[in-house]
Amino acid sequence: MATLEYEAVITCEAVADQMSCVRWINDGRSTHASFVTGSYGEASNVLAWWQLSIPGSIGEGDYQESHKRPKWLTESSIQGDITALEAGPTGTLLAATSEGLCCVVKMEEVLDEHRLQLSQWFQGSHTFDGEQNASCTGLSVYDSMVTTVGEDGRLYLYRSIHDTVPLREYQDANESSYRCVKLLDSNNVLVGSSNHLLHCFDLRNGSDMPSFSLYTGEKEEELAGSSCAVCIRPMLGRDKFIFAGLESGTIMGWDLRNPNGVTQSMEGHSGAVTGMCFPVYSAGTMFSASDDGDIGQWHFDMQQWEGNRIAFQQLVKCQTRIMKQRHAIRSIDANATQLIAVGDGRMIFFIDSVSYYLAP
């Protein structure tokens, strides 16, 4: 696998808080993009709503390279660290906290006034022995369905954002903590466990046992460090192909149509992988970030997706380092033209013209 170096067009904005989460709100088609950030490290932290103006069209050949500073619109306070943030149905966000809770946040714009309103809390609280708070380590949304996982090794499933009482509850049989979660569709959820396994639960099955599990352990764990999964990302438009970012810095991939088949192991980070994302409209490129300050880009050979069997070893065409800085990157997200990143350095980073860096 080749490694290339680019001089990416990067701008940044200083902010007051250390940030743990970031999500674009629009679908990438608008020339005015808004995003939401979540902070951590204080007793009370903030969800902040921002708007970024990008002049020009994002149509082919029409994009004008010009950078605008993000405009702060409004914010709302939450007790505890904000540990996860996902966009819900139109006009809503979901935020998880280190206090073991998850809430629905309404995004409102009335007469140019913006508001973030905490509308409800889910009743599935993550706790140790029903007393001490256990951090809610991840959440996932599919249509209106919601799942949360926590350090207590529990997974809560909600039928919709309006149902605050869990429809189902799963408990890890090995008393391990859960680190991340992804609703693949309305029937399947993938959960990363601290015991080096990814569990896949079939929500149609009445059993509390996973339908299958994937092993994330590496051959030389004593050298690589912990190999538990801390983030999960399906391939854009091909949700049977799954990538998991590990604490060791490795990214592993599976074809869920053949979960016992050969995996893809992608080495590109020396710190824990903190996030992965695909630009809107492009399955040929995936971005990843790590807690050693790296942001990388993976180019996929799309011809390898043809046919029923995928040669994972031939999938990754090359890896590109986009950015390296000394503070941890905690979260990234991409729209059609920009990658956004936040972390410990009290900065918001924008990497412009994502399409310029897409693999051919």
Side-chain angles (χ1 to χ4, degrees), residues 15-192:
V15 293
D17 302 302
Q18 293 186 120
M19 293 184 172
S20 52
C21 308
V22 63
R23 288 293 179 268
W24 288 109
I25 299 303
N26 71 321
D27 63 359
R29 295 185 178 93
S30 174
T31 57
H32 288 78
S34 67
F35 61 94
V36 175
T37 57
S39 68
Y40 80 104
E42 305 293 338
S44 179
N45 292 282
V46 296
L47 285 172
W49 187 0
W50 309 76
Q51 181 172 288
L52 182 68
S53 298
I54 308 173
S57 168
I58 64 171
E60 183 177 356
D62 292 334
Y63 184 84
Q64 298 177 13
E65 195 171 283
S66 181
H67 313 293
K68 293 288 186 177
R69 297 178 61 181
K71 176 185 177 183
W72 175 91
L73 299 176
T74 188
E75 66 183 38
S76 182
S77 297
I78 292 183
Q79 289 296 114
D81 296 337
I82 299 170
T83 55
L85 185 62
E86 293 293 339
T90 303
T92 62
L93 294 167
L94 286 94
T97 76
S98 59
E99 301 292 313
L101 297 169
C102 180
C103 66
V104 177
V105 182
K106 289 185 178 180
M107 305 180 66
E108 300 176 334
E109 181 179 356
V110 180
L111 299 176
D112 293 329
E113 181 182 353
H114 297 78
R115 292 193 294 264
L116 290 175
Q117 180 181 352
L118 275 62
S119 63
Q120 65 187 48
W121 292 89
F122 292 100
Q123 294 182 22
S125 176
H126 294 279
T127 60
F128 296 111
D129 300 322
E131 297 179 358
Q132 181 183 357
N133 290 336
S135 178
C136 183
T137 53
L139 70 91
S140 183
V141 182
Y142 183 85
D143 289 337
S144 62
M145 294 177 63
V146 180
T147 55
T148 70
V149 295
E151 289 181 340
D152 56 350
R154 287 188 178 89
L155 180 151
Y156 293 113
L157 170 69
Y158 303 87
R159 190 191 309 271
S160 79
I161 65 169
H162 305 295
D163 295 341
T164 59
V165 178
L167 175 67
R168 295 281 298 273
E169 176 185 343
Y170 299 85
Q171 175 72 49
D172 187 78
N174 299 314
E175 298 184 352
S176 299
S177 65
Y178 284 151
R179 305 292 302 276
C180 53
V181 63
K182 185 66 179 180
L183 268 168
L184 302 179
D185 51 41
S186 60
N187 299 318
N188 297 279
V189 60
L190 201 59
V191 183

